[in-house]
Amino acid sequence: MQKEELLRILRQEGESSGETLGRRFGVSRAAVSKAVAALRREGYEISSTPNRGYRLVSETDALSRSGILADLGDHPWAEHLRVFPVVDSTNDWLKAAAAEGAPHGTVAVADCQTGGRGRLGRRFDSAAGSGVYLSVLLRPACPAAELMTLTAQAAVAVRRAIHAACGVRPGIKWVNDLLLGGKKICGILTELSLEAESGLVAYAVVGIGINCNRTEFPPELAEIAGSILSQTGKRVDRCRLTAALIRALSALPQPDWLDEYRAACVNLGQPVRLLAPGREPREGVAVDLGSQAELLVRFSDGRIEAVNAGEVTLRPAASTT
């Protein structure tokens, strides 16, 4: 008997006897007892009452494969899910797996990353026990130009997943950060590999780091970083959020993403500073998004420029609702 099947039943139906569960899944009562013991070792509190059966008393705060699959059900990506207590980087692990032939829809999730990173090579602080650090492998077999909006689309997918699992809608800071109350709670890093002969995309890895239940940050991050818990006061079920992320990301691409991105983009109408390699910082006002999610910035001379690379900093920092 799969322990995630048992967990799903206990979540949905409450109390069930070992005999009833055994008949339902065609296994012995001993197999049911073994699955219960495995869930208890993962931190789930399950009571056992004579003549009544097993009952899920409380969930665990751990990020586990069982907990994710119990919520994910028979989703086609479920069989390709890998969950790590600690990994250097879920993006790096998945890129190595892709090179060895891992299929479309392979997902790597970690409780902690020792080498997590974001755009421009920056370190992404990935503390244990408080976040979701997840990467998905896509094999779209298309020219790289067709994936220009993949990061922006992923931001919308992550926003939808957070709303589904946590009941809040973060804002999006162009191009790849999600904010709550003006604090960054999520970053997204997309990496591509091209086939030398065809020039098509061999694979894309979309990496996502979400601060869920963290309440303290290093001094250098305290002014800019937050978590869903710190900004809402509500703890996050990380397994449920992970399942929601997988469902949302598996729906990419979606035709209706740009309007939602535009509505959620905290840059629009705000003064911004543009930083690009080899150029002096420039300041303007973000006025709109183009069809490929490029940021349209108006400068003091009235000229509007489409920005699709580099770093954009809010001046002043915007807040979200």
Side-chain angles (χ1 to χ4, degrees), residues 210-230:
I210 303 178
N211 296 327
C212 297
N213 296 323
R214 194 169 183 178
T215 55
E216 296 184 358
F217 295 87
E220 66 273 18
L221 298 177
E223 291 298 316
I224 61 174
S227 70
I228 297 174
L229 173 61
S230 72

Side-chain angles (χ1 to χ4, degrees), residues 11 44 62-64 67-68 71 132 237-244:
R11 282 174 171 172
Y44 294 94
L63 187 62
S64 69
I68 297 167
D71 198 275
V132 170
D237 183 330
R238 293 187 294 153
C239 290
R240 183 184 179 200
L241 175 57
T242 300

